[in-house]
Amino acid sequence: MNNHILKILGREHELFNSDVDLNNKKLNELVSTSRFLVLGAAGSIGQAVAREIFSRSPKKLHLVDISENNLVEAVRDVRSSLGYFDGEFKTFALDIGSNIYDAFIKSDGHYDYVLNLSALKHVRSEKDPFTLMRMIDVNILNTTKTLQQSSLYGVRKYFCVSTDKAANPVNMMGASKRIMELFLAREARKTPISMARFANVAFSDGSLLHGFNQRLNKHQPIAAPTDVRRYFVTPKEAGELCLMSCMLGENLDIFFPKLEGSLHLTKFSDIAVRFLEARGLEPYECKSEDEARQRVEELSKQGKWPCYFFTSDTTGEKDFEEFYTDKETLDFARFQNIGIIKNTGSFNETDLVNFEKAIGQMRHSGAWTRGDLIQLFNSVLPEFTHKETGKFLDEKM
């Protein structure tokens, strides 16, 4: 499966094989003698991380996610591929923002490592003030809460996934993760923390590439932008990067893929073409959404598939992605294919306190606007340049 994804991405080799091989003995020793809690464990990245931990036979592995169905699939996946290990393995369908989760931690909060992979990850989630507030809840407030709970029980390390969109953010999703990084810097004085910024995870749930599979299964046309370029990693590579950061990163380190070698920016439209060709189908470019919808039956009988490629004009889309800024200190020497941002841990305490206070007041009043939240984000991130076009991805096919 991984080789199939690599081919569609236009790559021949996995990114982190050499680094994992060189450090595998240490990773195995650490994992096999430790207890793990994985939050957001049923998402694409969460499942990949859980597989990496499971394969190294930990003393305890607990998976928590709000999605009961995806947790079931996570269990079926590891049982069907990796089998069993001697330690304790359990899953819990819980909302980590709830007091039920608080009771769960109170009953059994004894872990050596807590990995938080939960996130609202879509740029489309900033279209309305209510989903935006939930993004703040998931990406910032729940992260802070679960970290503080972990600190109470003396975890060795708390890992949290960030995003490449946190570097020079132009959308609220990226900015929320950048603010999350500042809150983590504040908490790192009590508990060691490490993070990872990485590219789009190919064929992860809800992604455009995952949508390609859905469109074929539902006999629908494929649509993709021609001018949006992204870095892509496979789910396995995402799991490896997160585990390496958690187990081997120093306090406040942020791991990211080096850009040398096979990792390069790729257009969504190019991936769409390779995806169809891998399925034995010839891409047929249509001039409009209507044409693409109307010609599915006709073209599919000819071994072709209708595609609608367009120029992006939606809010919050960067033309390309980057993993770090020119103000961040980098370490390229430690690993062959992984770079590290050596975070100084700097933050403005007053800004963070005011942010928490303002969010609390908005929620208590039961009324807020997108403008209120964008202005609040700007007060914490003066460099945040929100790219607003008035159009959103829900308006696209």
Side-chain angles (χ1 to χ4, degrees), residues 259-274:
L259 301 184
E260 298 89 6
S262 59
L263 187 64
H264 54 271
L265 289 165
T266 307
K267 293 193 295 186
F268 279 112
S269 54
D270 290 342
I271 292 180
V273 169
R274 290 197 291 265

Side-chain angles (χ1 to χ4, degrees), residues 17 24 72 130 179 182-183 187 197 258 284 309 335 385:
N17 276 355
N24 210 30
V72 170
F130 312 106
I179 293 173
L182 297 177
F183 273 96
E187 300 298 325
R197 290 180 187 168
K258 286 185 182 179
Y284 183 93
F309 297 142
F335 298 105
T385 305

